[in-house]
Every structure is written in structure tokens, then in C-alpha cells.
């Protein structure tokens, strides 16, 4: 059982990479479950809709608890059962997103958010977190080209997105690796596969 996460600011190429990794892992005979946050259960999808699309102003704590409610439901009802069944779980965003957006971006206090995160996840930690890094302007341009409809976060100013990016760039700890995602898709895939293959292999052999 291996829990893999892809993280990074808007337009970094997370979804593109997650789709490619799923295809490659399946081609290698690995049973993969792919999810994206916030979302993945009826309750989490309802929370996502409010957190991303609500037209009403909301308290910062309300936004935090929406993303954490989504995570708690996804972890308990989908991620843990899949890991226990021996699947590899591939997740588009996880707890680093909360530290980047709600702590660095919104300014909520780290210690309290850490405690809430532990409660929401039951302490579940990814085996590997790939952090994709792109300059804010590059991410924006990619989204514009992809004609993505902007959500509450994407409508924030550059200063907000620079804080988010800086938090990602500063992220470290167990299983966290960084990839320069302003490179070609091919180069990003190659770098990511190096880490994924290493992590999945170790785990499959029962070493990690
Ligand atoms: N949020 C939060 O606040 N707190 C939390 O705890 C969590 C989430 C979990 C979810 O957004 C929002 O929820 C997020 C933070 C908040 N909002 N923001 N910002 P989402 O799921 O709707 O969207 P996203 O995660 O930000 O995805 P994105 O902006 O669509 O970006 P992406 O997935 O990283 O990029 P992509 O869709 O793979 O690629 C975008 C385009 O770039 C596409 O046309 C690709 O073909 C192209 N691309 C990808 N890679 C490359 C390379 N290497 N070169 C050139 N072009 C590329």
C-alpha cells in the first residue's frame, strides 16, 4: 500500500501529471485509485462546491473546515480502505494544500491548523509528496490557455499566490520532493517517475 500525492500552485500541471502517472502505474500492473481534493465522496464534493464556488463571503475558519470536512470524509471512506486493500492511492492535492492556501495564503495560525489537520486525517501521511513548482505568471497563463473557469482562490491577487508558492517551495519533511514544473511535460514526467517508481517499489517489497 502506497499513498502518493501531487501538489503545487494553480496551473503547475498536477492533474496532467496525475493522469499520466495513473496510466503508467496501471501499465506496470499496479492497481491504482486516483482521487482529487477537495472531493471524492458526496459529502466532500458538497464541501468542495461551497469552498470553491460560493458567492457569499465566508469566515476563514469556515473555509478551513470545509476543506478539512472534505478530507476527513475522503480519508476515512475512500483512501484508508483502498490502502488497506493493497491499492496504490494517487491523490491530486492533500494536506500541504491546506498549509499553502489556508496558512500561508489566508494567514491562519499554523499550530492550530496542524492540530485540525491531524484530527481530519487521523494522522495519515503520504509516502511521497511531489511538489510541482512554477512561477505564478506561468501557472496563470496555462490556466488562461486551458480556459479554466476561475474559482474563489484563483480570483485572489498575485500576492496571495506568491505566498502560496513560497509555502510550497519551503515544504520539506518525510517523502516531500520538489520538481521544476516550468520544464516540458516530458521532463516533469521523467523526474516524477523516478520518485514514484522508487517509492512504490520500496513499499511493495515491504521495506517502507
Ligand atoms: N484548496 C485549498 O484551499 N485548501 C486545501 O486544503 C485544498 C484545496 C485541498 C482546488 O482547485 C482549489 O482548492 C485550489 C486550492 C483549494 N484552488 N486553487 N488555486 P482545483 O482542483 O479546481 O484546481 P487546481 O488544483 O488549482 O488545478 P489547476 O489550477 O487546474 O492546475 P493543475 O492541475 O496544476 O494544472 P493542469 O490542469 O494539469 O494543467 C493546466 C494546463 O497546463 C493544461 O492545459 C496542461 O496541458 C498544461 N500543462 C501542464 N503541464 C505543463 C507543462 N509542463 N508545460 C506546459 N504546459 C503544461
Amino acid at each position: 500500500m502506497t499513498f502518493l500525492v501531487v501538489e503545487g500552485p494553480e496551473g503547475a500541471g498536477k492533474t496532467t501529471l496525475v493522469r499520466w502517472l495513473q496510466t503508467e502505474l496501471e501499465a506496470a500492473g499496479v492497481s491504482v485509485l486516483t482521487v482529487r481534493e477537495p472531493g471524492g465522496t458526496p459529502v466532500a464534493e458538497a464541501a468542495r462546491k461551497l469552498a470553491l464556488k460560493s458567492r457569499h463571503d465566508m469566515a476563514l475558519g469556515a473555509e478551513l473546515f470545509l476543506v478539512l470536512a472534505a478530507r476527513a470524509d475522503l480519508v476515512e471512506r475512500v483512501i484508508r480502505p483502498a490502502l488497506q486493500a493493497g491499492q496504490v492511492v494517487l491523490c491530486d492535492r492533500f494536506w500541504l494544500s491546506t498549509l499553502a492556501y489556508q496558512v500561508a495564503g489566508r494567514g491562519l495560525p499554523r499550530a492550530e491548523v496542524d492540530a485540525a489537520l491531524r484530527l481530519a486525517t487521523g494522522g495519515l501521511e503520504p509516502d511521497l509528496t511531489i511538489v510541482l513548482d512554477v512561477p505564478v505568471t506561468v501557472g496563470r497563463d496555462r490556466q488562461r490557455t486551458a480556459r479554466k473557469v476561475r474559482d474563489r482562490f484563483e480570483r485572489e491577487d498575485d500576492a496571495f499566490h506568491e505566498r502560496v508558492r513560497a509555502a510550497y517551495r519551503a515544504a520539506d519533511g518525510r517523502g516531500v520532493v520538489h520538481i521544476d514544473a516550468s520544464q516540458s511535460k516530458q521532463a516533469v514526467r521523467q523526474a516524477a517517475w523516478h520518485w514514484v517508481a522508487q517509492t512504490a517499489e520500496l513499499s511493495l517489497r515491504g521495506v517502507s
Side-chain angles (χ1 to χ4, degrees):
M1 56 182 215
T2 308
F3 183 23
L4 309 171
V5 171
V6 178
E7 284 276 7
E10 58 171 337
K14 298 175 294 299
T15 308
T16 304
L17 179 62
V18 162
R19 286 199 192 119
W20 182 83
L21 286 172
Q22 177 177 0
T23 306
E24 290 301 304
L25 284 165
E26 285 174 349
V30 177
S31 173
V32 188
L33 177 83
T34 298
V35 287
R36 68 110 161 74
E37 272 229 88
T41 69
V43 165
E45 289 295 331
R48 176 189 177 89
K49 199 170 167 192
L50 277 173
L52 270 67
K53 306 276 184 215
S54 175
R55 289 182 187 170
H56 303 288
D57 284 342
M58 84 175 64
L60 298 184
E63 180 185 282
L64 170 71
F65 284 108
L66 283 171
V67 296
L68 293 186
R71 184 160 311 140
D73 209 48
L74 183 71
V75 166
E76 187 174 309
R77 299 163 65 85
V78 177
I79 296 179
R80 279 193 194 279
L83 291 172
Q84 278 156 8
Q87 284 190 288
V88 167
V89 175
L90 190 51
C91 193
D92 189 337
R93 296 191 179 278
F94 197 58
W95 63 268
L96 258 190
S97 285
T98 313
L99 298 183
Y101 287 86
Q102 278 66 50
V103 175
R106 300 293 194 209
L108 286 174
R110 170 75 189 256
E112 280 87 340
V113 173
D114 272 342
L117 270 168
R118 278 195 294 277
L119 192 64
T121 60
L124 179 69
E125 287 183 15
D127 298 293
L128 175 69
T129 302
I130 296 173
V131 182
L132 300 181
D133 178 51
V134 283
V136 170
T137 48
V138 173
R140 276 248 161 93
D141 286 348
R142 285 182 186 174
Q143 282 189 316
R144 210 170 290 134
T145 307
R147 294 174 184 275
K148 194 182 174 207
V149 179
R150 299 170 90 198
D151 62 35
R152 285 181 60 249
F153 299 96
E154 288 153 357
R155 286 196 295 270
E156 290 294 333
D157 62 16
D158 280 358
F160 175 89
H161 289 287
E162 292 293 355
R163 291 197 296 280
V164 168
R165 182 188 181 205
Y168 275 125
R169 285 167 68 87
D172 61 3
R174 179 180 169 267
V176 176
V177 299
H178 296 260
I179 294 177
D180 173 3
S182 58
Q183 304 176 89
S184 68
K185 287 181 190 174
Q186 180 62 21
V188 171
R189 285 169 180 172
Q190 203 174 355
W193 186 252
H194 165 81
W195 294 112
V196 167
Q198 198 177 72
T199 306
E201 192 186 22
L202 286 174
S203 176
L204 291 171
R205 290 208 310 256
V207 175
S208 66

